[in-house]
Amino acid sequence: PAYDTLLVETRGAVGLITLNRPKALNALNAQVIGELARAFEAMEADEAVGAVVVTGSEKAFAAGADIKEMAAKTYAEAFLEDFTPVWRRLVACRKPSIAAVSGYALGGGCELAMMCDMIFAADSAKFGQPEITLGIIPGFGGTQRLAKAVGKAKAMDLILTGRMMDAAEAERCGLVARVVPAERLLDEALEAAAKIAGFSRLATLAAKEAVDVASEASLAEGVRFERRLFQGLFATEDQKEGMAAFVEKRKPAFRNR
Ligand code: HXC
């Protein structure tokens, strides 16, 4: 098969990537990370896919980077192997993504969830960056993305104490977009992704790109960037179709043009 540690499928216009390394609670070893990058590239390349859902098992989204794989590593090995380019391939996906998190999202697992565009959490979800308990710190972007998502106070608390937070706290502090009963989690994520995939892809990709600029640029630069994208969408057939459909009180048929 193309993937050993993932299940990769499409459901209508939604790509579904399921971490499938149950014996290690979906711990992210080099193979899983490489396959994730490949799966995201496949979703990006598949014209039929308009949005992507990443999920794990009921017990664990992912319990972190693989500690057994990391344990004996030297500085030189860690330095030379640097996973940053591999994660960059995943983050480079322009299609909107949802992490559907049930159970543990710890360390690299929490960082993977934060690389997606939004997180839906089961009420059973537990988020944390426990790296400090292992004598290291987050290394897949956790100190940066968590601080941006929840602010300095909560990021310092989680990263310095290594404690976990539950779904309710994660929603309160803005890490999580929605909390749903565990048995509803995947359906809720797939339905949201299908909804996104049903809109004009020109608009959904532009919306994602514009929101992402908010964490990089000044307000003035970000607003200018948004305005240019907004204006550009008036050159699309989908804008004409979307507005005509509203006026004519019918459903729009977007064609991604
Ligand atoms: C390797 C892991 C693992 C991990 C769990 N397992 N997490 N293996 N790496 N991160 C394995 C266990 O060794 C065990 O295998 C099996 O999964 C089941 O786990 P248990 O511990 O028996 O389950 P449970 O008692 O229910 O506890 C669940 C848990 C605990 C609380 C999630 O497993 C845990 O604390 N895991 C480590 C979490 C963590 O520290 N993550 C951060 C990693 S560092 P065996 O074969 O022993 O039965 C990181 C760095 C990111 O992510 C940046 C790197 C650059």
Side-chain angles (χ1 to χ4, degrees), residues 62-246:
D66 191 312
I67 298 167
K68 291 165 191 167
E69 192 180 71
M70 286 186 292
K73 213 165 265 179
T74 64
Y75 170 76
E77 282 161 355
F79 182 89
L80 290 173
E81 146 181 289
D82 191 358
F83 280 115
T84 310
V86 189
W87 288 120
R88 213 178 282 132
R89 284 161 58 200
L90 187 151
V91 175
C93 180
R94 297 171 71 205
K95 295 174 183 174
S97 56
I98 301 173
V101 173
S102 177
Y104 297 110
L106 300 178
C110 187
E111 293 170 295
L112 168 62
M114 290 191 289
M115 285 180 217
C116 297
D117 296 316
M118 55 188 135
I119 302 174
F120 286 8
D123 46 15
S124 64
K126 296 233 180 278
F127 298 88
Q129 299 287 163
E131 287 89 344
I132 203 79
T133 68
L134 301 167
I136 57 168
I137 67 170
F140 296 154
T143 60
Q144 305 306 297
R145 289 198 177 89
L146 190 63
K148 288 205 153 112
V150 306
K152 176 176 167 177
K154 199 70 97 175
M156 285 287 191
D157 176 5
L158 289 166
I159 289 167
L160 285 172
T161 70
R163 77 173 174 90
M164 293 184 209
M165 67 176 168
D166 64 17
E169 183 180 1
E171 186 181 37
R172 258 195 327 272
C173 68
L175 180 65
V176 153
R178 303 185 195 177
V179 178
V180 297
E183 64 277 9
R184 271 284 305 155
L185 176 69
L186 189 58
D187 285 343
E188 183 95 0
L190 289 170
E191 284 162 21
K195 183 162 203 188
I196 292 165
F199 295 130
S200 171
R201 198 164 305 159
L202 297 160
T204 56
L205 268 54
K208 163 171 170 162
E209 199 174 342
V211 173
D212 275 340
V213 166
S215 57
E216 311 268 349
S218 70
L219 179 63
E221 273 180 88
V223 167
R224 189 158 46 235
F225 181 78
E226 176 201 83
R227 184 126 294 252
R228 292 285 102 87
L229 284 178
F230 170 81
Q231 291 159 341
L233 289 168
F234 285 81
T236 67
E237 288 178 19
D238 283 345
Q239 173 267 329
K240 299 290 175 289
E241 168 63 10
M243 293 192 184
F246 176 83

